[in-house]
Amino acid sequence: MSYAVGATSQTIDVVIVDDDGLPVTGLDNTTFPTVKYSKAGANADVIISLVALATITTVYTSGGVKERGEGVYRLDLPDAVFSVGAVVTLRAEATNKRLIYPKIVVSTLLSLLEADLYIDTSVTPWAEVHMLKG
């Protein structure tokens, strides 16, 4: 997954499986394995403090977690995950509980694209030129 530097209030879906690769259901913030993240080049792991969400549609809450079903869980990532450009790895392991999620790419390039700096609005689109000549 790719996000822009400075992104805020981001929610992802993670999967928790057991040692046989089968979905683990019924977890909440107290039974979820400890979730940590690290940024490439940094030595420290950062623990995400988990908070129970009342419903799956509860407004974003940093560290919020709620089961969607079949081992899929909503996880609200802290804004600090997106503070600088980096490749971020999420990890969570406990006895018979393993978090599955691809690496997160946080990039300044995405910030520029989101700011629409790649669009030149001074150029007349081809379709308009073609219709004017028509």
Side-chain angles (χ1 to χ4, degrees):
M1 298 296 298
S2 299
Y3 295 88
V5 169
T8 59
S9 304
Q10 298 299 308
T11 296
I12 63 171
D13 284 344
V14 298
V15 176
I16 302 293
V17 297
D18 64 17
D19 293 340
D20 294 323
L22 300 173
V24 176
T25 61
L27 301 177
D28 63 20
N29 65 309
T30 63
T31 56
F32 213 80
T34 301
V35 179
K36 302 174 187 177
Y37 71 89
S38 61
K39 296 180 180 181
N43 293 323
D45 286 336
V46 179
I47 295 175
I48 298 175
S49 297
L50 299 178
V51 178
L53 297 173
T55 67
I56 204 65
T57 58
T58 297
V59 68
Y60 166 88
T61 303
S62 182
V65 65
K66 182 71 175 173
E67 184 177 9
R68 291 189 185 276
E70 299 180 15
V72 177
Y73 293 83
R74 170 184 159 181
L75 176 61
D76 294 350
L77 294 174
D79 293 343
V81 169
F82 309 101
S83 62
V84 297
V87 176
V88 179
T89 302
L90 290 176
R91 289 184 319 286
E93 293 183 337
T95 302
N96 227 16
K97 299 174 193 169
R98 312 272 183 238
L99 181 138
I100 307 283
Y101 193 79
K103 295 199 182 279
I104 297 169
V105 176
V106 182
S107 170
T108 55
L109 177 60
L110 291 171
S111 300
L112 294 174
L113 294 174
E114 285 183 353
D116 291 334
L117 295 178
Y118 65 100
I119 296 175
D120 183 355
T121 57
S122 67
V123 177
T124 304
W126 179 86
E128 288 181 27
V129 171
H130 182 68
M131 292 192 63
L132 291 173
K133 289 183 178 181

